Amino acid sequence: MAITRADIEQHKSRNSCWIAIHGTVYDVTEFLNTHPGGANVILRCAGRDATADFDSVHSPDVLAELPETALRGQIDAAELASSDKTNSLSETAPESQAIGPPPLATLINLHDFQEVAHRYLPANAWAYYFAGADDEISKRNNARAYQKVALRPRIMKKVPTVDTKTSILGHPVSLPVYMSAVGIAKLAHPDGECALASAAGKEGLAQVLANGASIPIERVMESRVSNVQPIFFQLYVNKDIKKSVEAVKRAEKAGAQAIWVTVDSPVVGKREMDERLNLNVVATDNDTQGQGVAKIMASFISPDIDWEILTWLRSLTSLPVVIKGIQCVEDAVLAYEHGVQGIVLSNHGGRSQDTAQSPLLTLLEIRKFAPHLIGSNMQIFLDGGIRRGTDVLKAIALGATAVGLGRPLLFSMSAGYGENGVRRMLAILRQEIEANMIFLGATSLEELRPDMVNASRLERDLIGSVKL
C-alpha cells in the first residue's frame, strides 16, 4: 500500500504514532511503552522519516521484532526529506567534512583521537559521549588522579623484552586493558560494537558489551575472531525485571562469559552538555524537551535494587559476576563478602554523581583499609580517565588486574576510522605500556609493585573516617 506524506503526518501522537524507515511505514503505537530507550525517543520521530535516527543506533535486525500488523505500507523517502529537519542524532557535524579526517598514521596519542572525534562526530553524538555530570569535576579528577602519582624508574635493569599478558576472569588477554561497555556505538561508526569485537579479537583483548548496545549480541558474537574470544555482558537491572531475565538468558545463550552488573548509575546524572543539545519530541501530544540522549536511553534502569540482586542473578546463571561501580572501600568489602568474581572501581566516567571520588583514589582506600582484597580471588578492575600507558601501569602497580577504556574506543572509531582506528589507538597504548615497563625495569606485569610508584600526593586525599 502506497503512503503519502500527508498520511504519515496525521499520525504523530502517542495515541497514533507512525514512522518511516528506509521507505517502509510502521505503526509503532503499541511499541512505545516497551521500547528499551523509552517512548520519547520514538515520539521525537513521530509522523516523519526516522531512517537516520534508526540507523545511527540500531541494527536492521531490530525491525524483525515488530509484528506484521505494524506494517502500514511504503513511501517515497524523498517525499519526506523536506520534513526531516528536527534535531537528529545523525545530523552533520558543524565543521565541513569534505577534506576528510587525517591519516591514522598522523595520530600519535589518545588525545589526538579525541580531537578528531570532536571535529567529525555529529554534535549530539559528541555531547552524549563526552559529557560529564554537573560541573564535570569527577570527570576531570579521574584523569588528574593519575597525574598525582609519580613513577619511580629503576636503572641498570636488564629488560630485553616485556610480557604484557594477564588473565581476566580466567581468560588470557594480551594487555591489562579491556573494552568497557559503551552504549550506542553506532553513533561513532556504522559497524559499532561489531568493529570493537573484531578489533578486540585481533588485539587479544576482552570486551564488555553494553546493555544498550546498538547491535544485537548475536551479531557481535559473529564478529569475533575466534569462539574463545571473551565477551562479557553488561547488565542494568530493568524496572521490568522480566526484561532483565530475558537479557541474561539471551546473553548466556549467545555465549557471553560473564555478567557485569552496573550499579553506579541508578539514576542518570545531570549531563548538561547532552541536555543543552536536547532531542525535541515532535509528537503533537507530548512536549518533553531537554532530556538528552542519556536520560532517554537509560529511562528503563531500576534504582530499586540492593545486594539481594546477586541472589536473584545467581538463580538465573552460573556465569561469573562482576559488580561495576564500586566507589568506596566499604562497598568493595561487601562485594568480596558476597562472593563476586570481580569489581570495577568506577564513578561512571564522571557521568553520574559529580564530585564522586576518582577510582584510583578508591583503589588506594582498598590498599590502606582492606589490603586483603588485593590479590584475592576477587579481581579488581577500574576505569575512568585513562589516556596513557603510564596510567595503566600505575593502576596495575597499585593492585588492579586490568583497566577499562570507554570514551577512547568511541573516539577512535569516529571520522570513518572504524576497526582500523580502534586498532591504531590500541597499538599506541601498547607501545606506551611496553616502553614504560622497560623504564621501570619490569619484564612482566607481575613485577609491577607499589614501590614503583609514589602516590603520596594522591594519598593526601584519603579520608580518615572509613569504618569497616
Side-chain angles (χ1 to χ4, degrees), residues 205-283:
L205 301 189
Q207 175 186 5
V208 183
L209 183 64
N211 198 144
S214 48
I215 296 177
I217 187 171
E218 293 82 3
R219 281 194 57 202
V220 177
M221 288 293 185
E222 292 172 358
S223 300
R224 293 183 299 171
V225 173
S226 71
N227 291 334
V228 297
Q229 177 185 331
I231 291 186
F232 312 129
F233 179 71
Q234 178 202 36
L235 177 69
Y236 282 110
V237 179
N238 200 301
K239 293 175 182 176
D240 182 352
I241 198 67
K242 293 179 181 178
K243 292 184 178 179
S244 286
V245 172
E246 294 169 359
V248 171
K249 291 187 177 298
R250 180 176 179 178
E252 186 170 24
K253 182 179 179 181
Q257 286 99 336
I259 305 296
W260 291 49
V261 186
T262 297
V263 297
D264 53 15
S265 192
V267 294
V268 178
K270 189 169 182 283
R271 305 175 195 174
E272 296 178 1
M273 181 189 298
D274 188 21
E275 292 185 13
R276 289 187 194 284
L277 288 167
N278 65 79
L279 307 181
N280 295 319
V281 176
V282 299

Side-chain angles (χ1 to χ4, degrees), residues 379-402:
Q379 292 188 313
I380 299 175
F381 312 104
L382 77 163
D383 61 25
I386 296 155
R387 297 295 183 271
R388 288 287 185 180
T390 50
D391 298 340
V392 177
L393 297 178
K394 290 171 185 178
I396 304 305
L398 290 171
T401 296

Side-chain angles (χ1 to χ4, degrees), residues 60-106:
D61 310 38
V62 174
L63 293 175
E65 299 178 10
L66 291 174
E68 291 185 9
T69 54
L71 183 63
R72 287 294 176 267
Q74 303 294 318
I75 189 171
D76 183 355
E79 187 176 354
L80 282 173
S82 61
S83 67
D84 189 18
K85 301 299 183 184
T86 60
N87 192 15
S88 171
L89 278 174
S90 57
E91 68 184 28
T92 303
E95 181 176 318
S96 171
Q97 299 181 13
I99 299 176
L104 277 174
T106 66

